[in-house]
Amino acid sequence: ETGVTQTPRHLVMGMTNKKSLKCEQHLGHNAMYWYKQSAKKPLELMFVYSLEERVENNSVPSRFSPECPNSSHLFLHLHTLQPEDSALYLCASSQAWQGNNYGYTFGSGTRLTVV
Amino acid sequence: AQTVTQSQPEMSVQEAETVTLSCTYDTSESNYYLFWYKQPPSRQMILVIRQEAYKQQNATENRFSVNFQKAAKSFSLKISDSQLGDTAMYFCAFDGDSNYQLIWGAGTKLIIKP
């Protein structure tokens, strides 16, 4: 049990489909993140939510839509994706205190394949 | 701009040997945090070790230790008595301010051979 749970573990979807990725943490953290990890590329931060408010959106295409209904849950809604969106999508959480930083706790990721 | 560089794309050592992974970073800040994360084939990114820049003492966690050289902006990870389970991608990361964004290196693939 990692503390951050992501579902599904694998997802294959067509370009016209709509699907959602789910992330759940029960660590009491107040910040949650979506990252995209593609082969041979550094991790790309997509979205950050702090206290359920989106504080960071790194120029992500509108076909990715995040939702944070409460401090324990984070969703990534997907629609009309492109093949180049195929990647590992990682969720993370942290306790963002000013003056200290204990790093992130990650989930195991969702391997997304767009066909 | 803040950057993190891992110059070794891949390394391979025999089990029980000691291995050092390099990481350099660029920043004008004086107070920040540095991390090493491990990502085994199971895909889970796991925090290995953390260093606070204002602390001169190098962080250690069991077989893992760092050599933090603040003036040189270097943050290498040493793994002693390496084990097969240490086989993974290792990422160095920097956190310098309060904008929630970690700056990541490209990673080093470490293979421990039996």
Side-chain angles (χ1 to χ4, degrees):
Chain A
E1 176 55 52
T2 67
V4 177
T5 304
Q6 285 188 248
T7 54
R9 191 162 170 80
H10 300 275
L11 178 63
V12 179
M13 59 185 289
M15 288 191 284
T16 58
N17 291 159
K18 287 186 180 181
K19 296 285 184 184
S20 296
L21 310 185
K22 180 181 176 182
C23 177
E24 188 172 350
Q25 61 95 4
H26 295 288
L27 300 168
H29 288 169
N30 59 8
M32 295 186 77
Y33 312 77
W34 279 117
Y35 274 93
K36 176 182 179 182
Q37 187 176 28
S38 305
K40 304 195 188 303
K41 283 186 171 182
L43 279 164
E44 300 173 55
L45 179 65
M46 300 176 73
F47 302 103
V48 181
Y49 276 83
S50 176
L51 299 172
E52 301 157 40
E53 180 183 338
R54 192 191 309 180
V55 295
E56 199 79 38
N57 178 347
N58 276 1
S59 303
V60 179
S62 59
R63 56 187 183 267
F64 295 91
S65 174
E67 179 191 2
C68 188
N70 55 61
S71 60
S72 299
H73 293 85
L74 184 66
F75 295 89
L76 187 63
H77 303 300
L78 316 171
H79 65 98
T80 59
L81 294 191
Q82 304 298 311
E84 60 263 29
D85 297 322
S86 297
L88 180 67
Y89 289 84
L90 291 167
C91 174
S93 69
S94 72
Q95 188 62 19
W97 295 111
Q98 268 198 328
N100 215 333
N101 188 330
Y102 292 98
Y104 297 175
T105 301
F106 282 85
S108 296
T110 295
R111 173 72 65 191
L112 173 67
T113 303
V114 181
V115 297
Chain B
Q2 296 160 336
T3 58
V4 175
T5 302
Q6 293 179 250
S7 59
Q8 305 148 313
E10 185 169 328
M11 296 185 72
S12 179
V13 298
Q14 295 293 135
E15 192 176 8
E17 289 183 348
T18 294
V19 59
T20 299
L21 309 183
S22 67
C23 173
T24 58
Y25 58 94
D26 190 23
T27 184
S28 58
E29 299 185 27
S30 58
N31 193 26
Y32 47 86
Y33 298 85
L34 293 160
F35 305 90
W36 277 100
Y37 282 87
K38 166 186 176 181
Q39 188 179 35
S42 65
R43 305 180 335 202
Q44 171 115 44
M45 195 82 78
I46 302 164
L47 179 62
V48 174
I49 202 163
R50 163 184 174 267
Q51 176 79 42
E52 299 171 62
Y54 67 87
K55 287 189 176 179
Q56 293 186 339
Q57 186 174 9
N58 289 324
T60 63
E61 288 287 342
N62 299 313
R63 298 182 295 107
F64 298 87
S65 61
V66 298
N67 183 3
F68 174 48
Q69 302 288 329
K70 191 172 184 180
K73 297 178 183 174
S74 171
F75 181 60
S76 60
L77 175 70
K78 185 171 88 170
I79 306 174
S80 304
D81 185 26
S82 58
Q83 301 174 359
L84 297 179
D86 296 331
T87 293
M89 284 290 294
Y90 286 82
F91 294 92
C92 178
F94 168 95
D95 188 351
D97 53 32
S98 60
N99 73 351
Y100 301 97
Q101 178 151 211
L102 286 182
I103 309 300
W104 294 86
T108 296
K109 183 177 182 179
L110 176 63
I111 299 169
I112 309 298
K113 296 181 289 187

